[in-house]
């Protein structure tokens, strides 16, 4: 069976490449998704990508992932990382392994970014490695049984 992965991006990440390049780099979300598609296809697997500025839409996508047989999720939850019990509950409900990615090093930033509601449920987290973090997370997800 073909392995299926899901790449999720939360609020404001549709703005990547347009503002704050010193913090978030110069790649657009389309660049990141295209590179991820190529990486996953080269491994003979399948990738779906989804970005939303709406918490409920992300939760609905996570619920649908279970029925689709998604093996693992890579997510940058954006600001919802630090606020969303509901997103955490969605991951707890579907029991799909996920990797949490942050482009910036949240621990070098404001104190409110130091806590994540998701990290304790994640298989692992990557932060501060720029947009390369997505590639490392997908590489891990492809290898994970
Ligand atoms: O470092 C990350 O990837 C973050 O998840 C990004 C979130 C932030 O709230 C987290 O603390 C850390 C913000 C995403 C905003 O994305 C933008 C991209 C370009 C221009 C403006 C915002």
């Amino acid at each position: 069976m073909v392995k299926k992965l899901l790449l999720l991006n939360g609020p404001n990440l549709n703005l990547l490449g347009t503002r704050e390049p010193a913090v978030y780099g110069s790649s657009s979300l389309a660049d990141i998704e295209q590179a991820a598609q190529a990486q996953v296809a080269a491994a003979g697997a399948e990738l779906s990508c989804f970005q939303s500025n709406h918490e409920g839409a992300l939760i609905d996508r996570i619920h649908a992932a279970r029925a689709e047989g998604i093996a693992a999720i890579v997510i940058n939850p954006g600001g919802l990382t630090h606020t969303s019990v509901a997103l955490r509950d969605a991951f707890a409900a579907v029991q799909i392994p996920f990797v949490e990615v942050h482009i910036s090093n949240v621990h070098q930033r404001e104190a409110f970014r130091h806590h994540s509601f998701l990290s304790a449920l994640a298989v692992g987290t990557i932060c501060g490695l720029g947009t390369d973090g997505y590639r490392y997370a997908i590489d891990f997800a492809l290898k994970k049984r």
Side-chain angles (χ1 to χ4, degrees), residues 4-86:
K4 293 184 195 172
L5 304 181
L6 174 62
L7 174 60
L8 287 180
N9 278 281
N12 298 304
L13 289 156
N14 54 310
L15 300 177
L16 281 173
T18 66
R19 272 166 247 180
E20 300 196 59
V23 182
Y24 298 119
S26 55
S27 300
S28 68
L29 184 59
D31 294 336
I32 291 164
E33 289 181 346
Q34 266 167 37
Q37 287 288 2
Q39 180 185 2
V40 170
E46 231 174 75
L47 180 71
S48 299
C49 298
F50 183 73
Q51 185 275 334
S52 181
N53 294 323
H54 305 278
E55 187 174 23
L58 291 162
I59 291 168
D60 287 344
R61 189 66 193 86
I62 292 165
H63 291 176
R66 180 162 59 178
E68 289 167 30
I70 298 285
I73 297 174
V74 171
I75 183 168
N76 183 343
L80 293 173
T81 307
H82 319 298
T83 64
S84 183
V85 173

